[in-house]
Each structure stands twice: as C-alpha cells, then as structure tokens.
Amino acid sequence: MTSAATRAIPPAMSTRLQPARGTRDMIGADARRHVAVGDTARRIAALYGFEEWFTPIFEDTRVFSRGLGETSDVVAKEMYSFPDRGGEMLTLRPENTAGVCRALVSNGLTQSLPQKAFYAGPMFRYERPQKGRYRQFHQIGCEILGAAEPLADAEVIAAGWHIIQALGIADGVVLEINTLGDAESRDAYRAALVAYFTRHAENLSEDSRMRLEKNPLRILDSKDAGDRALLADAPAITAYLTGAAAAHYAAVLGYLRGMDVPLRENPRIVRGLDYYSHTAFEFVTDRLGAQGTVMAGGRYDGLVEEMGGPATPCVGWAAGMERLALLMEAADRTPPAPRPVAVVPMADEAPALVVLQALRAAGIHAEMEYRGNPKRRLERANKRQARAAVLVAGDGSLQVKDLDSGTQVAATLHGLVEMLPTQ
Ligand code: ATP
Ligand code: MG
C-alpha cells in the first residue's frame, strides 16, 4: 500500500533540481575570477594593515534591525529572517558592517582601538535577481574602527582604489564622494529637503512620499525616474555644513589628492543605510548597466553604540565580488586555467608516482591520468592543455616533452624541477 505522502514525491529522475532563485554556482572561469577578487583584495588590504575577521553568517536579527535601521530597504524588504528550532530570531547577514561592529563589542576590542578589519564572504538579500544582483552574493570589505580622523577615511578609500587597480579594472571606474555632515548639518539639511519635497509632493513616487516622513535623505538615493527629475533642483548639503563638518570633508579630499586617488564630488551620494555620517562614497562604472555601483561606503559614527559599545567613530566600505568579477571578465582579466605538467608512465606506474610526488613537493602542479596506455595518456595531457609531459621509463629514466613546441629532451629528476619553474 502506498500512502498519499509517498505518492506525492515525484520519482527522482523527473525532477532536475536547480539552484534556488537568485543563487548561482561558480565553476571554472567564474570561480577563478571570484578567487582572484578575494585573493587580490586580501593581499592589498594587508598592505594597508587590515587583518581578516571572520564573523558568523547568521546573527541575532537585532544586529541588523538596530544596526541598519528599521526603515532601510534592506531591513524592511530584503532580509532572510527565520526563527530557529529554539525560537530565536536569526537573520542571514545582508551585509557585514553591523556584524563587524557587533564583534568589536562582543570581543572587548573597544579597549584596543583602532582596529582594521578586512572580510570576504557571502551575504543574503531577498531581491529581484538580475545581472550583478543576486539573493546570495559576496562582498569584500574594509573597516577602520575607532578613528575619527579624516586620514582614516582617505586610507580606507585608497585601499579600495588600490584593489580596483590591482584587479586591472580601474578603467571606467570612478570614485564619487560626498559628505553627509555631522548631526547638526544633517538636521538643517533634512529640514531644507523636507521643505523642497513637500512643495513637490505630488510628483514624488509613493516610496519617496513615505521616505519624506521617515527619512527624507533617502529620497536622494531613489531610483525612480520621476524622483530623479526632482533631484536636479533639490538643495545640496554643501550649504548646510557646519564649520567642523566642512573641515573634515576638505581634509578627506586633500588626503585623497595627496594619495593620488582620482575623485569626482557628487552631492547626490547618500548611502541607503541609517548609520552613515560625514564621508559617503561609491566607486561607480557605466559598464554594468543598472548595477553600476561596485564599491560603496562611508563614515558611521553611531553603529558601535547601537551594538551596546561606547561611541566609536568608524569608516569603511563593501564591494560586490560578483560585480568586480564581471568587470574583470569585461576587461579580459579572467585568470587562465592552470596548466599542469603531465606525468606519463611508459611502463610501470611505480617510478612515475615518485616523479609525480617529487614535482608536487617542489611546488609544481603535476597530474597523472588515472588510466590508459602511454599514447592515450599523452593525448589526454594535450587535451587538458598540459604545458609539458614527463615520460617516465620503467627504469626511472626521464624524457621531458614541451607540449607547446614538441621538443623532447632527456632529464634527471633534479634537473626537471629546475626546468619546470612553478607557474
Ligand atoms: P544597490 O543600490 O545596487 O542595491 P546597495 O546600496 O544596496 O546597492 P550596499 O548595501 O552598499 O549596496 O552594498 C555594497 C555593494 O555590494 C554594492 O555596491 C554592490 O556592489 C554589492 N551588492 C549589493 N547588493 C547586491 C546584490 N543583491 N547582488 C550583488 N551585489 C550586491
Ligand atoms: Mg540594494
């Protein structure tokens, strides 16, 4: 007898399972670009003194709802939140700045500032998937925790620019920068924005009419065409900055010029999250369609307090690894597939195994086909683009064949390692 429950399960062959909507597999060239983004970023960040932090992929939901603000798009619409089996409300991290600040406090590191954190890993947002926009995506990020000085803003931005250059994708990428001022500047600016948008309320999108009540600065970040048209004549923050806020911003610009980071001031840059003040910036490109922001960040001086720590000035950015990888692809910067040295036993496998492991021990990528006569194995070596084949005779004597030129010479094991430099 078959129960209703078992009948409802389709036979295994009929369901070909796909990755969940908005997620993707990265294999081959995709994976190589992803690894290059992470490795390059990690290497450059280390030059600037950033050490890698690993924080959990899920956190207590309050880390994000408090940190990012209840009205932010991310918290209001995009979070993957769920009660676990114990009834605790958890969220898959939609970004990692809040997690890093939570970790600073949890680990008592507010006593040893400044801290410079680098991270790389998956983030999750319930969004409408499109090119360069996914539900599971990955970010690299750099945060300087516990430094209010404008040199910290400039340094974290310079590290980001250095990473973009090291990836070979700087062409067509521009730093756009703005200041959101301090609380006093922002209060004055907010009042001016409310006055302006209230006058034009009938032309605002429904979302932006909501923002007008809750967080008018967000309207500057709107993607709605009607809103954008209104923005052209909206007041700019520059006129509302206090002396101290203007001085901080001027110093950041001065340092960036001193560090040779090209920039464009853009008074429309605000960040989508609640925690920013002073410097706000984005590295943008026109090469990725609507997904033109590759790296974004700014100063956030209130977030550590939200996590229960002391007032701690911080500045940092995050970049979408997929978007950086798309730019690498467009710039023809995909790392080539690795080319192994093929070890080919001409008779017994035993002496060939010794050679195989000796090459690997010397740091050379070497592979031996699992089966086949010498001719078949050589064919396969050619097919997988091996750079050379080492033919190992039954007595252990060696011939090395360059598979690009076809030349073949006798060699000793020691000489082989010299001849085949690590790639
Ligand atoms: P957008 O305006 O594109 O939605 P955002 O303001 O939501 O970006 P941030 O929260 O600042 O983005 O995240 C920093 C960077 O992370 C973005 O500039 C982008 O490169 C990347 N990013 C954000 N959301 C996604 C996503 N869903 N898929 C891929 N990359 C993303
Ligand atoms: Mg977004």
Side-chain angles (χ1 to χ4, degrees):
M1 203 189 81
T2 359
S3 74
T6 27
R7 254 183 282 123
I9 299 172
M13 289 299 290
S14 67
T15 25
R16 176 170 292 174
L17 295 173
Q18 297 294 330
R21 186 165 148 77
T23 70
R24 54 197 282 275
D25 303 309
M26 289 183 280
I27 297 170
D30 258 343
R32 290 200 300 277
R33 283 188 290 269
H34 189 78
V35 169
V37 169
D39 286 355
T40 304
R42 191 173 284 113
R43 176 171 63 80
I44 304 297
L47 299 178
Y48 288 74
F50 291 87
E51 275 202 87
E52 190 156 5
W53 286 26
F54 299 89
T55 60
I57 284 173
F58 59 83
E59 299 262 5
D60 184 317
T61 295
R62 288 170 296 181
V63 169
F64 307 109
S65 55
R66 271 195 216 162
L68 282 58
E70 297 282 358
T71 65
S72 67
D73 279 359
V74 171
V75 173
K77 303 183 212 159
E78 299 174 357
M79 291 208 307
Y80 278 93
S81 299
F82 57 94
D84 73 1
R85 285 167 194 273
E88 234 177 303
M89 273 312 285
L90 300 175
T91 295
L92 299 183
R93 62 186 189 188
E95 57 98 65
N96 204 30
T97 304
V100 163
C101 289
R102 197 272 309 136
L104 182 85
V105 176
S106 308
N107 292 278
L109 292 171
T110 52
Q111 297 307 309
S112 20
L113 299 174
Q115 293 281 332
K116 292 161 95 172
F118 167 82
Y119 62 81
M123 309 291 159
F124 305 84
R125 294 184 193 179
Y126 192 79
E127 300 209 65
R128 195 167 66 78
Q130 47 198 299
K131 188 173 182 187
R133 188 178 294 285
Y134 310 98
R135 289 181 176 178
Q136 175 175 336
F137 62 104
H138 300 78
Q139 284 182 338
I140 49 168
C142 284
E143 317 283 358
I144 301 179
L145 309 154
E149 295 76 10
L151 182 53
D153 308 44
E155 182 175 59
V156 83
I157 294 172
W161 176 237
H162 199 151
I163 289 168
I164 288 170
Q165 288 179 303
L167 289 170
I169 56 173
D171 212 25
V173 175
V174 181
L175 167 63
E176 297 203 329
I177 188 164
N178 187 26
T179 179
L180 305 174
D182 46 23
E184 196 184 322
S185 324
R186 238 177 3 265
D187 287 346
Y189 183 47
R190 192 177 296 118
L193 278 182
V194 169
Y196 173 80
F197 286 120
T198 305
R199 262 183 280 131
H200 297 95
E202 74 280 7
N203 296 326
L204 276 179
S205 69
E206 204 177 307
D207 272 354
S208 285
R209 253 176 270 149
M210 295 263 294
R211 293 182 184 118
L212 191 53
E213 313 259 299
K214 289 186 177 154
N215 191 342
L217 257 74
R218 285 272 170 62
I219 300 175
L220 300 181
D221 204 21
S222 171
K223 289 176 179 114
D224 178 87
D227 291 351
R228 300 210 67 88
L230 279 183
L231 291 180
D233 294 319
I237 186 147
T238 338
Y240 301 88
L241 294 179
T242 60
H248 182 98
Y249 184 49
V252 173
L253 297 182
Y255 282 125
L256 285 171
R257 293 193 177 109
M259 292 166 117
D260 216 14
V261 181
L263 61 90
R264 186 159 75 201
E265 288 184 72
N266 179 352
R268 303 283 167 238
I269 300 269
V270 294
R271 302 293 310 131
L273 310 179
D274 267 355
Y275 51 59
Y276 288 104
S277 56
H278 289 291
T279 316
F281 59 91
E282 294 185 352
F283 283 91
V284 297
T285 177
D286 53 12
R287 299 185 186 180
L288 294 178
Q291 273 57 252
T293 306
V294 292
M295 187 179 276
R299 178 164 280 286
Y300 49 100
D301 289 352
L303 186 54
V304 174
E305 270 175 298
E306 290 290 337
M307 298 299 146
T312 308
C314 306
V315 61
W317 53 256
M321 293 178 74
E322 285 81 1
R323 294 188 195 175
L324 294 169
L326 281 169
L327 286 177
M328 285 180 82
E329 186 178 11
D332 234 350
R333 286 291 182 145
T334 300
R339 299 186 66 193
V341 170
V343 173
V344 180
M346 303 307 284
D348 285 351
E349 284 183 334
L353 281 180
V354 174
V355 174
L356 182 64
Q357 290 308 85
L359 289 173
R360 289 170 173 170
I364 294 170
H365 169 195
E367 296 196 60
M368 189 165 96
E369 294 297 336
Y370 299 129
R371 62 193 166 98
N373 61 27
K375 180 159 174 282
R376 283 288 291 148
R377 293 199 207 217
L378 253 179
E379 277 168 13
R380 289 227 198 86
N382 267 310
K383 208 163 156 195
R384 63 159 82 207
Q385 305 276 319
R387 56 188 169 124
V390 180
L391 315 179
V392 187
D395 64 359
S397 65
L398 310 177
Q399 294 273 320
V400 184
K401 184 172 184 180
D402 183 316
L403 294 181
D404 291 327
S405 65
T407 53
Q408 187 170 324
V409 293
T412 61
L413 189 51
H414 181 72
L416 197 57
V417 172
E418 312 268 286
M419 271 168 81
L420 300 169
T422 50
Q423 267 184 329

